[in-house]
Amino acid sequence: MARVWLVTGASRGLGRAITRTALDAGETVVATGRSADAVRDGLEGYHDRLHALALDITDAEAARAVASETVKRFGSIDVLVNNAGYAELGFFETFTDAAIRRQFEVNVFGTMNVARAVAPHMRRRRSGLIVTISSVSGLVSNSGGSVYSASKFAVEGWMEGFAEELAPFGVRSLLVEPGMLRTDFMDRKSASFGGIDIPDYAEAVAQYRSFVEGANGNQPNDPKLLAARIVALASQVETPARLLFGNDATQWAGAKIDKLREEIAQSADLG
């Protein structure tokens, strides 16, 4: 029996790949983006089971309306993929307060808006899966990624606790932590750089911008493979709490774990 998926940020990148993969598996997908037309344009040929809706996830009322419309039309939301987001890439002091707040408004509070709209339905049914697209940057932070990582660290902490709150009601959670995916995530449609010029950081910022521009389109990990992994896991009775994807992600996370162990041991030595 086909399930009903609700996917945010479905107009391109990983969201589009997940939507297409779920549709290919015979599922029904309510795919959202800031422009419903952009969602449809990227997913031609699926119109019998694809239902595109406009959604700005920072609008809590709009998120509730989409969830309500989905349940009313299809009877359920079996899988929520909280995918929409973007990256503020650059050095912390080069960002305005408004830019940092916008990062959290979308990546954290927007993601919460959608989960808050869908979770009551899943609790009532005592069934459902919430897939939250985080990042290995939600586990590891580096220079140039402090603001983006801060938003993803927040998502990780929130969803880790929220998952425990939902588990007694049969609602499962999957936190997805990809490494660098070969999408347009690092182009100017998804990534934004700080606009404050600080001479002390000028050389480092230039090097970082060069790295990002060179990496865009050349990232090592295939989003189609990740989409297939997510759709396959959604069919399983037992779902892991986390999915690290990509050799880069596992290496960075492993190095972080080793570092934490060292720091814990050093703290213990201090008595």
Side-chain angles (χ1 to χ4, degrees):
M1 181 177 177
R3 292 167 300 176
V4 178
W5 291 55
L6 174 58
V7 181
T8 67
S11 61
R12 56 200 177 92
L14 180 60
R16 180 187 292 176
I18 293 170
T19 299
R20 182 177 284 118
T21 303
L23 289 165
D24 286 341
E27 309 282 50
T28 296
V29 182
V30 176
T32 73
R34 284 178 292 177
S35 166
D37 287 339
V39 173
R40 294 188 194 95
D41 290 345
L43 293 162
E44 295 178 356
Y46 294 102
H47 297 301
D48 56 334
R49 286 178 289 104
L50 169 66
H51 302 271
L53 295 175
L55 174 61
D56 177 347
I57 64 171
T58 65
D59 185 337
E61 184 55 41
R64 286 191 292 269
V66 165
S68 178
E69 180 178 343
T70 302
V71 172
K72 183 176 180 180
R73 182 166 186 174
F74 301 108
S76 68
I77 299 172
D78 300 294
V79 182
L80 165 63
V81 181
N82 239 336
N83 167 75
Y86 79 105
E88 292 283 0
L89 299 176
F91 286 47
F92 169 71
E93 288 185 83
T94 69
F95 290 108
T96 63
D97 178 71
I100 295 171
R101 289 179 184 277
R102 175 65 180 170
Q103 178 77 108
F104 275 73
E105 192 65 40
V106 175
N107 288 8
V108 182
F109 300 119
T111 302
M112 288 179 173
N113 284 340
V114 180
R116 189 180 285 111
V118 173
H121 164 72
M122 290 184 170
R123 278 192 289 103
R124 285 193 295 269
R125 295 181 65 236
R126 296 300 195 260
S127 176
L129 170 64
I130 296 176
V131 179
T132 307
I133 306 301
S134 178
S135 168
V136 69
S137 294
L139 298 174
V140 180
S141 186
N142 304 107
S143 61
S146 59
V147 172
Y148 174 64
S149 284
S151 72
K152 289 300 186 180
F153 268 63
V155 166
E156 293 266 342
W158 158 63
M159 201 60 219
E160 188 174 291
F162 188 32
E164 290 191 11
E165 295 165 6
L166 290 172
F169 305 104
V171 181
R172 297 172 292 146
S173 169
L174 173 63
L175 266 167
V176 181
E177 298 154 340
M180 295 176 68
L181 291 175
R182 203 158 48 251
T183 68
D184 53 6
F185 188 73
M186 298 177 84
D187 71 11
R188 294 189 180 274
K189 290 182 180 179
S190 292
S192 178
F193 290 88
I196 301 173
D197 292 328
I198 298 178
D200 281 346
Y201 292 127
E203 183 177 353
V205 167
Q207 291 175 350
Y208 185 71
R209 277 181 173 269
S210 178
F211 161 74
V212 170
E213 290 169 2
N216 188 38
N218 298 305
Q219 297 96 324
N221 300 304
D222 187 345
K224 294 179 182 178
L225 294 179
L226 176 54
R229 187 81 56 84
I230 290 169
V231 172
L233 286 172
S235 299
Q236 297 181 6
V237 175
E238 297 291 333
T239 308
R242 281 182 163 84
L243 170 62
L244 277 156
F245 181 80
N247 289 335
D248 52 350
T250 55
Q251 289 171 7
W252 296 338
K256 176 67 175 282
I257 291 168
D258 291 342
K259 185 177 180 181
L260 283 173
R261 286 194 176 116
E262 290 177 7
E263 291 170 349
I264 291 168
Q266 289 170 356
S267 297
D269 290 341
L270 294 174

